[in-house]
Amino acid sequence: MHDIYNFVSGPLVWVSFVIFFGGSLYRLISMAVLARKKDVFVYEYMSLKFGLRSILHWIIPFGTVKWRKNPLFTIVTFTFHVCIIFIPIFLSAHIILWKESWDISWWYISDTTVDILAVVVIASCIFFLVRRIVLPEVKYLTSVSDYVILAIVAAPFITGFWTYHQWAGFRVMGIIHIIAGEIMLASIPFTRLIHMIFFPFTRGYMGSEFGAIRHAKDW
Amino acid sequence: MAEPAIKRSDESSKIVDEGIDKGIARLTPEKIEQVINKVLAAETGARLKTYVETCVHCGLCSEACHYYLSHDNDPKFSPAGKVKQTIWEILKRKGKVDPEFIRDASRIASTECNLCRRCAMYCPFGIDIAYLMSVVRRLCHMLGVTQLYIQDTAHSHSATLNQMWVKEDEWIDTLFWQEEEAQDEISSLRIPIEKEGSEIFYSVIAPEPKFRAQLIYQAAVIMNAAGVDFTMPATPGWDNSDQCMFTGDYEMMGRLKKVHFETAMRLKVKRIVMGECGHAFRSVYDVGNRWLAWKMPPIPVTHAVEFYYELLKQGKIKIAKKYDKPVTFQDPCNIIRGKGLHEKARYVVDALCEEFIEMHPNREHNYCCCAGGGVINTGPQYKMKRIKGNRIKAEQLFATKTRGAKVIIAPCHNCHGGIEDILHHYGLDMELHFLGDIIYKVMEKPV
Ligand code: HEM
Ligand code: HEM
Ligand code: SF4
Ligand code: SF4
């Protein structure tokens, strides 16, 4: 058990980080190269100013007509996204691991807060799941992979929460948690979770077209 | 748990369209696979790939689309729903689709999407569904499957360089005829043809000389009253319209824009001013120029709305008496989401009319007329689809009418076609005009 723990919290972490960063970089570069080859004009029309203008509106809660039209969804998705990015980075348990291996540390969120936020994330995932099953327009677009992605994202939070509360089998759960976290990181470049990497480019491009060429807002 | 790939709808088989039926009859699965893969490999790249792989299947774009809203939120009509039924499936099956699939794909891309780009403002990622639907149209074009009526206009474009089979002498005659008619009203009026070195080349769409010659008359009155130095060419190249852009015949689109720009160059004008047409503006300003590798048009292009704005702002046309019926304004996709002319349009409307009542939503968020994007040009078989696909426009107009609007101003030919049918079908008793109609009515005219 100890060996397994050491393995998943040692080499496998490396593997997942390499896959995440390497894979994301690979996806970015291959997109850029392909665009250079097949959609050159994208480079011509991409505008920093208008791209950022659009991105800014879209990453601000209620910053767009669409976000204002669906307040519940907007609140859920923004909380969800902020949490999935900040919890792993600012969780004391994680920082301790960094401290032990690299002797680096930084500010962390209190454990009680994280505990609550973890529940919020899990609840958001349930919200997305229910929405996917209940809303016809979302159901129509859904394939098995959408559930898998949702599960990949929910797993580290469910297992981490379990471990923290030291429920039955928490030692094994701790190991599962770490593996789940690693799977999530590693799958970002190779699933639709790639939207995290591509968002600035797709939105930025539409913002550039609308702003610089068409003199209109796209939010 | 997950939805099955696609349920084949029987909708497209109900419509008889020779362009589609004969095209489909000529197809074999092998040919389809070969053409699709060839086109995808040669013409698509990072955009297609990134859009497809980034879409998180969240359905947020749905409520952007008037087809979706008008069909009681039927997911088959949602923007991403249309991509699912076409592009996703084509990519998943690596082009191995049967002829009936192509029939459905053509129906979806060409008659159930106006390429209006409203959905780009509702998808958080800004995924360009209109582009994806254009790719489907391009594939259908390369497979020889295009609705007969719009294909006929594309043929006309390629044979005559105008959309309506207008012959060269007919064109010149029409200009002379309108000039003569207008001289009864303003004796000094001229429609200068082939006047090299003019300030402005005034270009129109072929339906103007064909069916709506009074628009040329009105434009001439406005130009003359404002003392504008303009000309119209006697040669092909006068037509700025472009159905080839919509059928996916990009080679022809390029030819059309080339002739148009070259005509302007030959006449040594400073800029092109276009009549009140949205799709033509999209072609000249945004799409056609790109095919010719011009980032922006090689010569400045001004849409009528912007031109009227200049004339009014500079006091070149004066208003004798403002239009007294309460009006509302239809923001056409191709000049609002396509050029941001909404505030200028409102300036013009305010200058001309006593009472202006906004419809909601408006400006960038206005609903498409459901005629644009070549949909009205697919022919009468699809008329009811258009009308039913835009019940939401009828509701929007009705609400505006309830608030007092009696007249709709729509500075776009497609909007006119679409809204006319909607007014008629849904029994909305409202008048419909171009801005030019109103200017002509209320302006001070020379004698
Ligand atoms: C990147 C995805 C990850 C996420 C989203 C995540 C999330 C969480 C959460 C929500 C908790 C529970 C905190 C609480 O309820 O108070 C937690 C705890 C923990 N996580 Fe992660 N984690 C991730 C990856 C990892 C990785 C890769 C490791 C190990 C290398 C790891 C190690 C731990 C440990 C040791 C705990 C503490 C368990 C305890 O308190 O006993 N996590 N994590
Ligand atoms: C900073 C980068 C990111 C941006 C801008 C972003 C943006 C979005 C947007 C716009 C959506 C569409 C629907 C919605 O808002 O829920 C979405 C959905 C989603 N995102 Fe992200 N995201 C980012 C990072 C992430 C990360 C890191 C993950 C997890 C690893 C993630 C997981 C998800 C999931 C699972 C959904 C789907 C929800 C559903 O099933 O409907 N996102 N994201
Ligand atoms: S009609 Fe307009 S809103 Fe609907 S899918 Fe096409 S571009 Fe998007
Ligand atoms: S809103 Fe964008 S990401 Fe969501 S389903 Fe529509 S196209 Fe895909």
Side-chain angles (χ1 to χ4, degrees):
Chain A
M1 183 99 145
H2 214 73
D3 289 346
I4 302 179
Y5 181 83
N6 282 342
F7 178 66
V8 295
S9 68
L12 268 194
V13 178
W14 278 101
V15 173
S16 71
F17 270 84
V18 168
I19 296 179
F20 169 61
F21 284 109
S24 300
L25 204 64
Y26 166 77
R27 291 298 308 268
L28 269 180
I29 292 172
S30 59
M31 174 182 72
V33 169
L34 187 60
R36 184 51 81 202
K37 237 168 54 193
K38 306 291 284 298
D39 310 85
V40 255
F41 64 84
V42 166
Y43 287 90
E44 288 298 317
Y45 291 107
M46 202 60 138
S47 138
L48 190 65
K49 175 178 153 196
F50 291 109
L52 286 177
R53 184 179 77 160
S54 173
I55 291 171
L56 201 68
H57 277 90
W58 281 94
I59 59 170
I60 293 175
F62 303 103
T64 67
V65 169
K66 177 67 201 175
W67 292 145
R68 288 194 287 277
K69 281 186 131 181
N70 306 60
L72 176 64
F73 184 86
T74 304
I75 291 168
V76 173
T77 194
F78 273 92
T79 328
F80 165 81
H81 276 95
V82 168
C83 287
I84 48 176
I85 293 167
F86 284 95
I87 291 184
I89 303 178
F90 296 107
L91 170 71
S92 66
H94 288 178
I95 296 174
I96 291 168
L97 294 173
W98 287 101
K99 176 102 180 135
E100 283 171 357
S101 342
W102 295 83
D103 198 25
I104 46 169
S105 65
W106 52 87
W107 175 85
Y108 57 85
I109 317 174
S110 86
D111 280 359
T112 9
T113 316
V114 171
D115 217 29
I116 296 165
L117 293 181
V119 175
V120 169
V121 172
I122 296 165
S124 310
C125 288
I126 295 171
F127 172 85
F128 290 135
L129 178 70
V130 170
R131 193 175 167 271
R132 226 167 244 301
I133 295 168
V134 172
L135 297 186
E137 78 270 26
V138 193
K139 184 163 190 242
Y140 186 69
L141 301 174
T142 298
S143 52
V144 177
S145 63
D146 295 295
Y147 294 110
V148 175
I149 291 170
L150 212 46
I152 290 179
V153 174
F157 291 88
I158 296 170
T159 53
F161 187 78
W162 188 295
T163 312
Y164 176 76
H165 288 275
Q166 310 213 339
W167 291 340
F170 69 89
R171 277 177 217 289
V172 180
M173 203 45 106
I175 292 174
I176 296 177
H177 165 75
I178 297 172
I179 296 173
E182 289 157 348
I183 290 178
M184 176 178 120
L185 266 181
S187 58
I188 289 177
F190 305 105
T191 60
R192 270 195 293 288
L193 294 177
I194 192 69
H195 71 266
M196 169 183 170
I197 309 294
F198 285 161
F199 169 81
F201 299 93
T202 54
R203 185 79 259 167
Y205 181 63
M206 196 42 88
S208 305
E209 284 266 14
F210 265 71
I213 312 296
R214 303 181 187 141
H215 309 284
K217 297 183 299 189
D218 63 333
W219 57 82
Chain B
M1 203 157 55
E3 283 278 300
I6 301 195
K7 295 191 201 84
R8 175 127 309 149
S9 90
D10 53 4
E11 237 193 88
S12 36
S13 41
K14 276 188 247 151
I15 290 173
V16 179
D17 184 322
E18 264 193 275
I20 301 293
D21 298 339
K22 291 200 169 151
I24 295 289
R26 281 193 297 265
L27 293 179
T28 60
E30 297 72 39
K31 182 173 170 194
I32 295 174
E33 186 185 351
Q34 186 211 341
V35 171
I36 287 182
N37 288 318
K38 201 171 119 199
V39 175
L40 290 182
E43 300 179 14
T44 66
R47 275 189 307 160
L48 182 74
K49 194 168 150 62
T50 309
Y51 287 148
V52 170
E53 291 172 2
T54 303
C55 173
V56 292
H57 304 178
C58 62
L60 292 179
C61 49
S62 308
E63 66 169 324
C65 187
H66 48 281
Y67 282 100
Y68 171 82
L69 296 170
S70 303
H71 284 101
D72 302 316
N73 301 354
D74 181 343
K76 286 202 293 298
F77 291 94
S78 78
K82 295 173 213 177
V83 182
K84 172 194 158 107
Q85 296 169 78
T86 54
I87 293 279
W88 292 357
E89 207 54 28
I90 288 172
L91 293 179
K92 198 159 81 195
R93 296 203 228 155
K94 299 195 167 57
K96 289 193 183 58
V97 294
D98 58 25
E100 288 308 308
F101 178 94
I102 297 297
R103 183 196 295 277
D104 288 341
S106 169
R107 183 199 80 231
I108 292 164
S110 299
T111 72
E112 293 171 6
C113 173
N114 301 96
L115 313 181
C116 77
R117 301 188 182 123
R118 191 171 191 263
C119 42
M121 304 193 306
Y122 287 74
C123 165
F125 297 99
I127 289 174
D128 194 347
I129 307 279
Y131 162 71
L132 297 174
M133 289 300 112
S134 305
V135 171
V136 178
R137 291 184 184 192
R138 173 72 171 165
L139 292 174
C140 292
H141 164 72
M142 296 301 259
L143 287 165
V145 177
T146 302
Q147 289 73 14
L148 184 69
Y149 273 72
I150 192 167
Q151 186 58 51
D152 180 72
T153 64
H155 286 327
S156 168
H157 275 307
S158 77
T160 66
L161 295 171
N162 73 69
Q163 189 195 324
M164 294 268 123
W165 302 102
V166 178
K167 295 197 196 84
E168 254 178 271
D169 56 338
E170 287 172 355
W171 162 247
I172 298 168
D173 274 356
T174 307
L175 297 183
F176 282 160
W177 167 46
Q178 289 309 309
E179 183 179 60
E180 253 178 62
E181 294 267 307
Q183 279 169 348
D184 287 347
E185 194 179 348
I186 302 170
S187 55
S188 62
L189 182 140
R190 293 298 315 274
I191 298 183
I193 299 181
E194 287 290 317
K195 187 171 152 242
E196 218 180 86
S198 303
E199 194 85 19
I200 284 167
F201 158 18
Y202 183 64
S203 73
V204 296
I205 61 169
E208 292 202 14
K210 193 84 177 179
F211 311 116
R212 286 175 157 165
Q214 90 279 4
L215 292 176
I216 296 176
Y217 176 121
Q218 287 174 2
V221 170
I222 295 171
M223 294 286 193
N224 277 267
V228 173
D229 175 22
F230 79 110
T231 188
M232 296 177 87
T235 58
W238 53 266
D239 178 18
N240 53 27
S241 75
D242 186 351
Q243 294 306 319
C244 299
M245 161 175 74
F246 291 141
T247 60
D249 186 352
Y250 298 147
E251 288 76 10
M252 241 343 275
M253 168 181 77
R255 262 184 75 205
L256 292 172
K257 290 317 105 173
K258 192 155 181 280
V259 179
H260 194 57
F261 292 138
E262 282 176 355
T263 304
M265 299 297 177
R266 181 174 61 71
L267 292 170
K268 301 194 171 61
V269 295
K270 296 215 174 57
R271 61 170 165 159
I272 299 172
V273 170
M274 314 178 43
E276 295 180 50
C277 179
H279 97 272
F281 186 78
R282 180 194 189 112
S283 170
V284 180
Y285 178 76
D286 191 336
V287 183
N289 55 311
R290 296 186 185 197
W291 180 264
L292 296 173
W294 287 97
K295 180 176 175 183
M296 298 305 283
I299 175 166
V301 192
T302 311
H303 185 267
V305 167
E306 196 169 5
F307 185 61
Y308 299 150
Y309 167 83
E310 289 171 19
L311 296 183
L312 286 163
K313 188 105 186 167
Q314 295 164 2
K316 289 195 177 154
I317 34 183
K318 304 235 169 5
I319 305 307
K321 185 183 176 304
K322 279 195 177 186
Y323 192 65
D324 56 8
K325 291 185 204 166
V327 302
T328 185
F329 185 76
Q330 153 80 1
D331 288 288
C333 315
N334 285 321
I335 61 166
I336 306 302
R337 281 192 284 284
K339 185 61 172 41
L341 295 183
H342 39 285
E343 298 309 335
K344 286 183 177 165
R346 279 163 180 72
Y347 178 93
V348 174
V349 172
D350 281 335
L352 303 177
C353 306
E354 274 173 7
E355 194 183 352
F356 170 49
I357 298 166
E358 286 280 9
M359 56 174 90
H360 295 282
N362 55 50
R363 297 180 168 83
E364 284 103 334
H365 288 269
N366 186 30
Y367 297 123
C368 171
C369 62
C370 207
V375 173
I376 193 169
N377 307 78
T378 55
Q381 298 98 314
Y382 303 95
K383 181 175 165 188
M384 278 322 288
K385 262 178 94 67
R386 261 195 297 120
I387 293 173
K388 286 194 182 141
N390 212 0
R391 195 185 67 207
I392 192 82
K393 176 59 74 185
E395 288 165 11
Q396 180 195 25
L397 291 174
F398 182 75
T400 318
K401 186 184 166 184
T402 317
R403 290 176 28 248
K406 292 201 160 51
V407 174
I408 305 159
I409 300 179
C412 170
H413 280 273
N414 277 320
C415 291
H416 265 250
I419 291 178
E420 223 163 67
D421 290 336
I422 285 167
L423 293 179
H424 189 249
H425 179 83
Y426 293 99
L428 283 167
D429 185 23
M430 294 174 91
E431 282 177 47
L432 179 62
H433 294 299
F434 287 98
L435 273 175
D437 297 331
I438 310 277
I439 298 181
Y440 173 76
K441 274 203 188 83
V442 303
M443 70 192 285
E444 279 179 14
K445 293 180 196 111
V447 276

